[in-house]
Amino acid sequence: MPDYYRDLAADYHWIFPDEVVNHPGVIGGTSTDSRELIEAVVEALPPGAPVLDCACGIGTDAMALGHAGFQVTATDGSPAMAAEARRRLPAEAEVLTCRWEDLSAVVTGPFELVLCLGNSLVHTGSHKAMVTALAGMRQMLSPTGTLIVDSRNWELLYRERPRIVAADRVRQRDGMRATCVYVWTIPESFGEPCQAELLFLTEHPDGGLTHRRHPLEFQPFTPADLEARLVEAGFAVAGSSYRQDAQRYAIAATRAEQHPG
């Protein structure tokens, strides 16, 4: 899988509001359409439970969970994203660079909660690779643990077929102002991958303007696809925040009782 986030990592924080990227963070803050589902699962965890964020990105979700008293381990497949996460997490939090299929060889579990948020699973690129990734996450779960994965609502995106989607506001940090614009290229067939260019337009303290462009590619899937692949990887679906008109959704799953491994 290409490291789309090598150069994007330094700009990624501009996507989120201050309360999500700054300490103490917001539980489920990167998945606003699914916060109710995520908060319900987190509230049911024992105090101080071990939690794995295996798509930690710049560390926002892991930061919020750590502040809430959970024992957090954070991993990401992108070294640059993991480096950004280390800046936000306390020294005692373990932050590792690791692909999902390698989790059992790199990370010591088990965990009561495994998170894969940020629309990350779409980068697996194929049915087989997604099942392999999910199976890697399953190996990290305790018998009573829960996995939460989230996704963009790709069917809605392909129906609406937007071309340019701008952020709802300009953000100001460290003396600079910036905003993010998605420029989409969506094919006619749902089975074909779509592309997005993330443009960050930045105004510097001296009034100068710059922009940075980060191309991404996504292989879409439906909620039914995701649920079927979770089952194939050894999970039982326990809950979903999917709504036909919502931009994103999350699915909670537990280990299936009858499954090898």
Side-chain angles (χ1 to χ4, degrees), residues 135-151:
M137 298 174 206
R138 184 182 184 276
Q139 289 182 284
M140 294 292 97
L141 272 184
S142 77
T144 57
T146 300
L147 169 72
I148 303 178
V149 295
D150 78 352
S151 173

Side-chain angles (χ1 to χ4, degrees), residues 11 14 176-179 199-213:
D11 286 325
W14 291 114
M176 295 190 296
R177 289 159 45 86
T179 193
L199 301 179
F200 292 91
L201 310 176
T202 305
E203 179 185 354
H204 297 266
D206 63 1
L209 293 174
T210 58
H211 76 277
R212 289 176 298 281
R213 167 184 169 272

Side-chain angles (χ1 to χ4, degrees), residues 72-148:
V72 176
T73 299
T75 68
D76 200 276
S78 167
M81 289 294 242
E84 286 292 320
R86 288 190 186 95
R87 296 177 54 244
R88 286 180 171 79
L89 298 177
E92 62 269 22
E94 190 172 30
V95 182
L96 303 166
T97 301
C98 182
R99 295 167 64 91
W100 294 307
E101 59 266 33
D102 299 326
L103 283 168
S104 63
V106 176
V107 179
T108 301
F111 297 91
E112 289 302 313
L113 174 65
V114 175
L115 294 178
C116 181
L117 304 180
N119 189 45
S120 302
L121 202 57
V122 72
H123 293 307
T124 54
S126 71
H127 177 151
K128 180 179 178 181
M130 187 185 294
V131 172
T132 299
L134 292 168
M137 298 174 206
R138 184 182 184 276
Q139 289 182 284
M140 294 292 97
L141 272 184
S142 77
T144 57
T146 300
L147 169 72
I148 303 178

Side-chain angles (χ1 to χ4, degrees), residues 27-59:
I27 290 175
T30 63
S31 302
T32 54
D33 288 330
S34 303
R35 277 187 61 188
E36 186 175 341
L37 172 68
I38 296 168
E39 288 172 348
V41 172
V42 170
E43 287 172 3
L45 294 173
V51 172
L52 171 64
D53 184 350
C54 68
C56 70
I58 60 175

